[in-house]
Amino acid sequence: MQNRQRTLAGYLFISPQLIGLLVFSLFPVVYALVLSFMNWDGFGARTFVGVSNFVSQFHNPDFWIAMRNTVYYMILVIPASISLSLLLAVGLNKVSGKELYRVFYFMPVVTSSVSIGVIWMWILNGDFGILNQLLSHIGINGPDWLTDTNWVIPSIAMLSIWWGLGNNMVIFLAGLQGISRSYYEAAEIDGASRFKQFLNITLPLLSPTTFFIAIMTVIGSFQVFDQAFVMTNGGPAKASYTLVYHIYQQGFIDFKMGQSAASAMILFVIILIFTLIQFKMSKRWVHYGE
């Protein structure tokens, strides 16, 4: 009887989170999957159309534009974000007052994406933006960052790297603080340089943390939307038109809910495939435990 009461009490405590997961996560995914086989404008009757929504997506030029822009964005963001946050964490781990620095670097993470976008629109303005003014002092004529098709994705990537730097840095810093100092002391006795210690001790023991950050960064890169929506509205000439922006465009601008849901399901499958590939590859380089 006592065990049953404890079990019921446990379910009672987890019920708010469980209900939230079902209502706000699982149900929308299932509903989107069902809707992807329907033709619906959001108001009238739904009509079952089979896989035609998926077929139309693969024949839609906008879908491939969004895919190309998203992949380009990922290539710019993922390696830079991981490497810079790791180097920053290694540096902060060796200085005093790291808690204060950690707060400063983490502040952008908890700032509204709209506020961040508006501020960076001013920074990247081609006429009076502060970035171009700084570049002019060293003899560089900065481009029109957000209106040049060649620079708009790098501009959004630069914002995203800065925006997510604090979050990844804090996670890396936690991983670094979990590495025993005895390994470094033994390496110093053997005469290993700081660089060799980093390669042979820090990176291997930090690989689970790196693996987690890599997965989250890949997923976040596929889901980029706020920056393009606030700063460029998908332009210029759809140069910042991403996959999630494509989903938004079809669902809430064109009112093609079925095709929008189909795009979302395709994105879900792509993220799933990339995540599974990362898990498969991680067996070769991720080392758990000390």
Side-chain angles (χ1 to χ4, degrees):
M1 186 66 179
Q2 189 175 6
N3 290 335
R4 182 179 298 179
Q5 290 177 345
R6 290 179 177 178
T7 302
L8 291 175
Y11 282 119
L12 181 63
F13 279 115
I14 67 171
S15 60
Q17 184 68 23
L18 186 61
I19 293 172
L21 178 66
L22 293 174
V23 173
F24 297 107
S25 296
L26 185 60
F27 174 74
V29 171
V30 174
Y31 186 75
L33 177 61
V34 173
L35 193 60
S36 65
F37 298 101
M38 303 287 181
N39 183 19
W40 186 45
D41 61 1
F43 299 99
R46 302 174 181 86
T47 305
F48 180 77
V49 293
V51 297
S52 63
N53 285 330
F54 294 92
V55 174
S56 66
Q57 287 306 303
F58 289 115
H59 289 86
N60 188 344
D62 288 344
F63 174 81
W64 295 109
I65 291 173
M67 177 67 73
R68 181 191 64 198
N69 292 335
T70 304
V71 171
Y72 180 30
Y73 171 86
M74 290 175 59
I75 293 172
L76 295 176
V77 168
I78 293 173
S81 179
I82 295 175
S83 58
L84 288 176
S85 57
L86 174 58
L87 293 176
L88 183 61
V90 170
L92 287 181
N93 195 42
K94 298 182 181 298
V95 301
S96 58
K98 61 175 68 69
E99 292 80 9
L100 183 61
Y101 286 108
R102 185 167 54 192
V103 171
F104 287 150
Y105 281 108
F106 196 78
M107 285 176 64
V109 179
V110 296
T111 305
S112 166
S113 59
V114 176
S115 301
I116 293 291
V118 171
I119 292 172
W120 275 80
M121 285 176 64
W122 173 70
I123 293 174
L124 298 173
N125 187 280
D127 296 325
F128 53 83
I130 189 173
L131 180 57
N132 279 358
Q133 291 184 24
L134 293 174
L135 291 175
S136 65
H137 289 306
I138 57 175
I140 299 176
N141 186 20
D144 292 328
W145 298 95
L146 298 178
T147 58
D148 189 328
T149 56
N150 296 318
W151 284 102
V152 63
I153 287 293
S155 301
I156 294 175
M158 181 166 52
L159 180 156
S160 300
I161 293 168
W162 171 82
W163 192 13
L165 194 64
N167 183 64
N168 293 341
M169 181 270 296
V170 168
I171 298 173
F172 270 129
L173 194 58
L176 287 170
Q177 292 175 353
I179 300 176
S180 175
R181 177 62 189 166
S182 60
Y183 294 107
Y184 297 101
E185 292 173 351
E188 289 173 358
I189 294 173
D190 291 338
S193 63
R194 291 288 181 87
F195 183 69
K196 287 186 177 180
Q197 291 178 33
F198 178 76
L199 289 181
N200 299 317
I201 298 175
T202 304
L203 284 182
L205 294 181
L206 205 60
S207 58
T209 306
T210 307
F211 175 54
F212 171 76
I213 290 177
I215 288 180
M216 299 307 295
T217 305
V218 169
I219 293 175
S221 298
F222 269 115
Q223 296 176 334
V224 58
F225 170 74
D226 296 7
Q227 301 90 314
F229 178 75
V230 174
M231 299 172 65
T232 63
N233 203 25
K238 294 190 175 179
S240 60
Y241 189 80
T242 62
L243 278 173
V244 177
Y245 197 97
H246 177 67
I247 296 170
Y248 162 79
Q249 175 74 29
Q250 291 203 310
F252 298 99
I253 303 298
D254 300 335
F255 294 102
K256 298 178 180 179
M257 296 297 179
Q259 294 192 24
S260 177
S263 301
M265 289 298 103
I266 294 172
L267 177 60
F268 171 78
V269 172
I270 292 173
I271 293 176
L272 179 62
I273 291 172
F274 269 82
T275 304
L276 292 176
I277 291 173
Q278 286 179 285
F279 270 99
K280 187 70 175 178
M281 294 176 61
S282 69
K283 297 179 181 179
R284 300 180 180 179
W285 61 274
V286 177
H287 307 280
Y288 293 97
E290 299 185 1

